[in-house]
Amino acid sequence: MRVAVVGAGAFGRNHLRVLRELETAGDGVALVAAVDTDAARAEEATKQYGIAAFATIEELLKADLKLDAAIVAVPTVKHHEVAAALLDAGLDLLVEKPLAANLAEADDLIARAERGGRILQPGHLERFNPAVLAVEANLKRPMFFEAHRLSVFTPRALDVDVVLDLMIHDLDIVLTFAKSEVREVRAVGLPILSPKVDIANVRVEFESGCVANFTASRVSTERVRKLRFFEPRQYVSIDYARRDVLVIRVDSGVSGAGGVRTPPKQSLDGAPDSQPRLAEAAAEFLATGKLDSAVIQKLLASGQIPATLAMKIAVAKNDPEKLREIAKGLAGPQDGPQDGGQAGVGPGLSFVKPEVKEGEPLRLEILSFLEAVRTRREPKVTARQGRAALDLALTIQATMAAHAERAGLGDFFKN
């Protein structure tokens, strides 16, 4: 299968690398060409991979390289122009997220792909994260999500705001897991170091009653990629960056008065009470020796940790042994772990570390795309799912703009 990469910037370079690795491994793919309007990047691709490089799509297509497929990794504003030309030329496409800059462009690309019988897969990379794959097959009924995606500032991808740049990954995951239509969106966002929104907080309620809170920032001092969600009798934490999953379960014998299960307590902001978050931090520390300081600091700041415990943590913050004793102290007596879990996160609770298979998400994404091209089957991430994530992202943008106008925040949005 002969493949070209359009866009040899930050994302494109990784696609070029993985395609060459797959070619070398004998996975039935050949990296044939790269396209980039930047002459230096095009030349770099030629030197590194020994492939043809072109400045435009027109030059690529005129070269008649017998291409089967292409990966589009250009800025979002160029997605429609580039993808439309390649689809019309009969190529199957993997298009980096978001699928397009607006719904009209996304609908046009979907229509072109359907008319031509082409594969059109949006590049929602986190769907191929091994931690997500480990959880997806065993979903029950998630009803509360909390997503945090924080990055330090870089000049990359400033043609879009933080919602389309970062948050859209979590929007796609939650839409896939929740399996429900969106009922209401509340959102706030501010530009900090760029003309577009750099930090955003969003609350989405679904028709099913499920609620999701999203926080995304590209001006943070740390890099965080986490999704936590609650299901009946269990709490699941996904760490995208570490490709790790932790499940905290309520043992079957634990119930409220009269044998009726007691729903989780609610904190003042409506989010589930702090015990699962403390339990997660304790369980993860006992299992890995790493304390999720961000969780502890947030709980401390919000006053959700008792003063005596807060003092103990503050005194012991640089002493791993003392922290381990505190973590053990958070654990209470219980009958023992279930389903391969481990004891130690509180009365009637056990934690489980599901098996997560090794794999680079980008490699798994490209392999999935190539398989869809070979078999002509619907890709794991469909173009219509990409459109749904884009639709929600654009709704969030409009909601943030309305909030900024109501709050008189126009001065924040001046270049």
Side-chain angles (χ1 to χ4, degrees):
M1 186 183 307
R2 297 171 64 80
V3 182
V5 175
V6 184
F11 285 116
R13 282 195 292 270
N14 282 321
H15 284 287
L16 288 165
R17 170 183 59 80
V18 172
L19 284 170
R20 176 49 55 86
E21 289 173 356
L22 294 175
E23 180 180 351
T24 303
D27 281 307
V29 61
L31 173 60
V32 175
V35 180
D36 201 292
T37 55
D38 185 292
R41 289 200 294 256
E43 183 180 359
E44 180 184 351
T46 297
K47 288 182 177 179
Q48 186 169 358
Y49 298 105
I51 57 176
F54 304 93
T56 67
I57 293 295
E58 291 74 21
E59 291 178 12
L60 171 72
L61 296 177
K62 284 180 182 178
D64 193 23
L65 298 175
K66 310 299 181 186
L67 293 171
D68 299 296
I71 294 175
V72 177
V74 297
T76 301
V77 293
K78 294 289 186 180
H79 279 191
H80 178 264
E81 175 187 340
V82 171
L86 294 172
L87 287 170
D88 290 347
L91 300 186
D92 296 308
L93 297 184
L94 170 60
V95 180
E96 268 295 349
K97 59 79 189 167
L99 181 61
N102 56 59
L103 293 182
E105 292 182 352
D107 288 337
D108 182 67
L109 292 180
I110 291 171
R112 288 172 189 261
E114 291 178 348
R115 280 199 307 268
R118 296 295 94 199
I119 299 294
L120 176 60
Q121 177 178 323
H124 287 285
L125 185 67
E126 296 290 26
R127 292 278 289 279
F128 298 90
N129 189 302
V132 173
L133 296 175
V135 167
E136 193 172 11
N138 298 306
L139 284 175
K140 295 179 180 177
R141 189 188 174 196
M143 289 300 293
F144 182 87
F145 291 90
E146 189 172 31
H148 288 86
R149 189 170 292 265
L150 315 177
S151 290
V152 297
F153 184 79
T154 68
R156 175 197 61 78
L158 295 185
D159 62 313
V160 295
D161 68 6
V162 73
V163 176
L164 289 177
D165 182 18
L166 298 180
M167 188 183 290
I168 195 166
H169 285 296
D170 300 303
L171 300 180
D172 174 61
I173 295 289
V174 171
L175 284 169
T176 302
F177 284 9
K179 294 182 172 61
S180 177
E181 296 296 317
V182 172
R183 181 177 182 274
E184 183 183 31
V185 174
R186 297 183 182 182
V188 295
L190 289 173
I192 305 297
L193 297 178
S194 81
K196 297 183 182 291
V197 169
D198 293 314
I199 184 168
N201 181 261
V202 178
R203 178 182 174 89
V204 177
E205 183 177 345
F206 295 87
E207 293 292 349
S208 65
C210 176
V211 172
N213 290 332
F214 302 88
T215 299
S217 170
R218 55 187 182 189
V219 290
S220 176
T221 57
E222 59 183 339
R223 188 174 185 271
V224 177
R225 301 282 193 275
K226 286 195 172 184
L227 176 68
R228 301 175 174 95
F229 61 92
F230 292 81
E231 295 189 312
R233 305 186 74 78
Q234 71 177 18
Y235 171 60
V236 181
S237 174
I238 296 174
D239 189 319
Y240 296 111
R242 286 169 44 189
R243 301 171 196 171
D244 184 60
V245 181
L246 178 67
V247 179
I248 299 176
R249 293 177 178 170
V250 180
D251 295 340
S252 58
V254 177
S255 60
V260 178
R261 196 186 325 162
T262 303
K265 296 179 181 179
Q266 297 290 309
S267 62
L268 294 178
D269 63 358
D273 192 58
S274 62
Q275 181 178 350
R277 300 294 297 278
L278 279 172
E280 179 198 354
E284 188 164 340
F285 182 71
L286 290 172
T288 68
K290 296 178 181 178
L291 181 67
D292 192 336
S293 58
V295 171
I296 298 298
Q297 289 171 9
K298 182 177 179 181
L299 292 172
L300 284 170
S302 65
Q304 295 183 63
I305 291 181
T308 54
L309 179 57
M311 290 179 63
K312 287 182 180 180
I313 293 174
V315 170
K317 64 180 180 179
N318 295 320
D319 188 328
E321 286 306 314
K322 287 184 179 179
L323 286 174
R324 183 171 293 278
E325 289 304 311
I326 292 173
K328 288 179 179 178
L330 290 175
Q334 61 174 28
D335 294 331
Q338 299 180 358
D339 301 328
Q342 300 179 43
V345 295
L349 301 178
S350 60
F351 70 87
V352 179
K353 301 280 285 185
E355 180 184 1
V356 177
K357 295 182 179 179
E358 292 293 325
E360 180 188 0
L362 183 60
R363 182 185 180 97
L364 296 174
E365 178 184 60
I366 292 176
L367 283 171
S368 179
F369 168 64
L370 296 175
E371 180 65 16
V373 172
R374 290 190 186 99
T375 62
R376 312 312 300 168
R377 294 174 185 165
E378 186 175 77
K380 176 178 175 60
V381 184
T382 68
R384 293 195 178 277
Q385 289 174 324
R387 185 198 187 279
L390 175 63
D391 189 10
L392 179 53
L394 295 177
T395 300
I396 289 168
Q397 288 181 331
T399 306
M400 290 191 303
H403 170 268
E405 184 175 355
R406 288 195 308 272
L409 299 176
D411 55 323
F412 278 87
F413 289 83
K414 293 177 182 178
N415 290 341

